[in-house]
């Protein structure tokens, strides 16, 4: 699939027809079961979820005691005092000043001013424009004669990514014709089908939309820097949570920390699943394997965010701390050494561990470093240190497992109700774009 977002698709004329549009579908959760049976499986949660991607069923959802609810009003999802009134959709410079239009005096949890009517209106106004008008106002897009451009500032990046999604999903302009050779020709916006769309189009669009909403609250998006930070610690096992693209974190009030990229939180986990088919022809709605998987991954995202938030005031426990196999160099080189086998004693390994704990390098490493520096002609040459390791060097280098904690995150229980015995985290339903 290829895209051409720089030109107006409807004016390009007929072209070979792309793949037929992918039906738009969303999962439905209709899990029903005996919760008493779920409690019997609770003792074997680790075994139940060991191969859940292959043998997933409603038992997995019941074991977590999850009861899906639908048609939840916004007043129940958003805490009281944070849901803007309908009058905030009016221009604040012309709206009559009343108790509904005044900015709330409630401060945010970091003692800073909470966004008010003006912050909400200028962002909502850009989202209320028609998609076609916003697409035509993007840089490099031709505009219709006599049509004033829509001014986009806050939502510009969102509409740029939404246009890329529209080139796979928008069927409103689809027109099929047949040329004189009998070939199917197409006029419209799409250049491919929804299931062919690159996953990062969806992730970038959702991230731009979330960032638009959280920026007035002095928050930002933090992308998990590795797959390790997307694993849920689940009864002495780590389960990978697919679909986590970013997390909403708060900017610190300390300017030095903010400049160094430190964030506080997390507050919200952003989950994007790239599934377009949730059930087979023989599955009833709500009983498809992909539907159950989607619910489990959403629950896993909420649990992972709760685990990270619960680290407030704690220090990471590293199972490999002070362990021989994580600190000492490997000495049994075998065939990789190209010579005789060099097997060192445990006493020498213990001396190396003690040297590492005290911040000193083993004598052998110091002498080897001096030798390399003298040969290279420059001491501490960084480019030489980054050279590609051979099999012998790679084998002798021991690297402990990657940390499960992000170095630039200060874990905080932001938003937890005072006196609550648990972190009342929740995960909302799908947001359709």
């Amino acid at each position: 699939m290829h895209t051409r977002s720089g030109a107006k698709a409807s004016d390009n004329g007929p072209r070979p027809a792309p793949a037929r549009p992918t039906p738009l579908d969303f999962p439905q959760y209709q899990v029903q079961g005996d919760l008493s049976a779920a409690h019997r499986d609770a003792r074997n949660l680790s075994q139940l979820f060991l191969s859940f991607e292959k043998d997933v069923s409603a038992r997995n959802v019941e074991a977590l005691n999850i009861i899906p609810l639908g048609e939840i009003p916004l007043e129940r999802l958003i805490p009281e005092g944070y849901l803007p009134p309908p009058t905030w959709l009016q221009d604040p410079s012309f709206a009559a000043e009343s108790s509904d239009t005044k900015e709330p005096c409630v401060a945010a949890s970091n003692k800073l001013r909470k966004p008010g009517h003006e912050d909400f209106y200028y962002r909502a106004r850009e989202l209320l424009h028609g998609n076609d008008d916003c697409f035509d106002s993007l840089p490099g897009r031709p505009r219709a004669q006599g049509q004033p451009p829509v001014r986009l500032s806050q939502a510009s990046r969102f509409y740029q990514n939404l246009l890329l999604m529209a080139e796979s999903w928008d069927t409103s302009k689809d027109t099929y014709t047949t040329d004189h050779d009998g070939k199917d020709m197409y006029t419209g916006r799409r250049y491919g089908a929804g299931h062919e769309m690159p996953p990062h189009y969806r992730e970038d669009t959702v991230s731009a939309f979330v960032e638009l909403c959280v920026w007035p609250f002095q928050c930002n998006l933090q992308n998990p820097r590795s797959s390790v930070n997307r694993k849920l610690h689940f009864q002495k096992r780590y389960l990978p949570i697919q679909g986590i693209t970013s997390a909403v974190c708060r900017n610190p009030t300390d300017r030095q920390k903010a400049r160094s990229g430190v964030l506080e939180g997390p507050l919200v986990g952003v989950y994007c699943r790239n599934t377009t088919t949730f059930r087979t022809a023989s599955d009833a709605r709500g009983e498809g394997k992909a539907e159950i998987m989607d619910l489990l991954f959403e629950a896993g995202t909420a649990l992972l965010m709760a685990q990270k938030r619960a680290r407030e005031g704690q220090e990471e426990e590293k199972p490999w701390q002070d362990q021989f196999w994580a600190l000492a160099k490997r000495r049994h080189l075998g065939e990789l050494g190209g010579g005789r086998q060099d097997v060192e004693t445990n006493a020498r390994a213990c001396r190396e561990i003690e040297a590492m704990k005290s911040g000193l390098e083993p004598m052998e490493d110091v002498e080897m470093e001096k030798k390399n520096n003298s040969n290279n002609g420059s001491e501490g040459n960084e480019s030489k240190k980054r050279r590609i390791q051979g099999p012998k060097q790679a084998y002798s280098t021991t690297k402990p497992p990657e940390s499960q904690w992000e170095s630039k995150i200060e874990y905080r229980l932001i938003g937890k109700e005072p006196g609550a015995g648990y972190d009342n985290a929740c995960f909302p339903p799908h947001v359709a774009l």
Side-chain angles (χ1 to χ4, degrees):
M1 183 191 73
H2 71 284
T3 58
R4 293 173 52 190
S5 57
K8 196 169 183 179
S10 58
D11 294 341
N12 286 339
R15 59 181 182 273
R20 287 292 176 176
T22 303
L24 184 62
D25 192 16
F26 291 99
Q28 292 190 359
Y29 307 136
Q30 298 177 359
V31 180
Q32 297 178 357
D34 184 8
L35 289 182
S36 61
H39 292 306
R40 290 196 299 267
D41 293 336
R43 295 173 298 179
N44 301 319
L45 283 177
S46 180
Q47 188 66 26
L48 182 62
F49 284 87
L50 182 61
S51 59
F52 74 101
E53 293 190 9
K54 296 181 180 179
D55 305 323
V56 66
S57 64
R59 289 181 57 217
N60 297 83
V61 180
E62 295 166 357
L64 295 177
N65 199 14
I66 297 177
I67 303 177
L69 300 176
E71 302 299 331
I72 302 299
L74 286 176
E75 291 79 5
R76 187 172 176 181
L77 289 176
I78 301 178
E80 184 179 358
Y82 286 86
L83 184 63
T87 53
W88 277 22
L89 292 175
Q90 304 174 7
D91 192 336
S93 58
F94 299 103
E97 187 169 329
S98 63
S99 59
D100 289 340
T101 58
K102 290 182 179 180
E103 296 184 2
C105 58
V106 181
S109 57
N110 56 355
K111 309 301 181 183
L112 296 179
R113 170 187 168 272
K114 195 170 68 173
H117 184 185
E118 184 175 348
D119 299 301
F120 175 82
Y121 171 76
Y122 288 114
R123 285 166 172 79
R125 180 182 62 177
E126 296 184 12
L127 297 176
L128 293 176
H129 290 298
N131 288 342
D132 290 338
D133 296 335
C134 294
F135 292 159
D136 295 342
S137 300
L138 295 175
R141 298 273 300 177
R143 300 188 183 96
Q145 293 292 336
Q147 179 182 356
V150 176
R151 297 184 62 182
L152 298 176
S153 57
Q154 308 292 339
S156 177
R157 194 168 72 91
F158 166 70
Y159 280 109
Q160 288 175 357
N161 290 285
L162 186 64
L163 176 58
L164 296 177
M165 288 189 63
E167 291 177 345
S168 297
W169 287 98
D170 187 6
T171 60
S172 61
K173 300 181 181 297
D174 284 5
T175 302
Y176 293 90
T177 58
T178 304
D179 63 3
H180 60 278
D181 295 331
K183 296 181 179 180
D184 292 335
M185 303 300 292
Y186 169 84
T187 303
R189 174 167 285 148
R190 293 190 307 110
Y191 286 88
H195 67 276
E196 301 173 339
M197 184 184 71
H200 66 87
Y201 285 3
R202 181 184 290 102
E203 297 169 3
D204 293 343
T205 303
V206 174
S207 297
F209 178 78
V210 174
E211 189 175 37
L212 170 70
C213 298
V214 303
W215 185 258
F217 292 90
Q218 305 297 321
C219 294
N220 211 332
L221 284 180
Q222 176 255 344
N223 296 325
R225 290 172 173 80
S226 69
S227 59
V228 176
N229 299 323
R230 306 178 190 181
K231 293 182 179 179
L232 175 66
H233 191 202
F234 196 77
Q235 291 190 346
K236 298 183 179 181
R237 298 180 185 271
Y238 286 98
L239 297 178
I241 306 299
Q242 301 177 9
I244 299 180
T245 58
S246 58
V248 178
C249 297
R250 189 177 64 185
N251 297 322
T253 55
D254 189 309
R255 292 186 178 181
Q256 191 66 25
K257 291 183 178 180
R259 288 175 182 175
S260 61
V262 176
L263 297 173
E264 300 174 348
L267 286 80
V268 179
V270 181
Y271 166 85
C272 292
R273 187 98 188 274
N274 299 314
T275 304
T276 57
T277 303
F278 293 94
R279 67 194 66 83
T280 63
S282 59
D283 292 331
R285 297 188 68 85
E287 299 180 358
K289 177 181 177 180
E291 289 176 306
I292 299 176
M293 288 285 295
D294 188 78
L295 177 58
L296 291 176
F297 280 129
E298 284 204 19
T301 301
L303 292 175
L304 180 59
M305 295 298 108
Q307 283 187 358
K308 292 185 176 185
R309 289 161 56 86
R311 296 170 182 171
E312 180 180 0
Q314 300 180 5
E315 294 185 1
E316 182 181 10
E317 296 181 3
K318 300 179 180 179
W320 60 90
Q321 190 75 26
D322 301 336
Q323 296 296 320
F324 167 80
W325 51 268
L327 295 177
K329 281 190 174 182
R330 297 176 181 177
R331 297 299 177 183
H332 188 82
L333 300 181
E335 298 179 357
L336 295 176
R340 67 182 182 84
Q341 296 181 355
D342 187 12
V343 182
E344 300 293 335
T345 61
N346 291 335
R348 182 170 183 176
C350 292
R351 288 196 301 271
E352 290 188 0
I353 293 177
E354 293 299 328
M356 292 179 184
K357 290 182 181 179
S358 59
L360 301 176
E361 297 184 21
M363 292 301 298
E364 181 186 81
D365 294 345
V366 174
E367 294 175 358
M368 184 62 68
E369 184 68 20
K370 290 181 179 179
K371 183 178 180 181
N372 292 336
N373 290 336
S374 62
N375 294 335
N376 296 333
S378 60
E379 187 172 355
N381 193 337
E382 293 295 332
S383 62
K384 297 297 182 182
K385 293 181 181 179
R386 298 192 188 101
R387 65 183 182 275
I388 300 176
Q389 293 182 342
K392 179 179 178 179
Q393 291 79 10
Y395 181 86
S396 62
T397 303
T398 305
K399 295 182 180 179
E402 189 175 352
S403 174
Q404 299 287 334
W405 292 31
E406 294 97 335
S407 59
K408 292 291 187 178
I409 297 294
E410 290 187 356
Y411 297 107
R412 300 284 182 86
L413 282 166
I414 301 174
K416 179 182 177 182
E417 296 181 359
Y422 61 94
D423 187 11
N424 50 339
C426 66
F427 51 101
H430 294 265
V431 176
L433 296 176

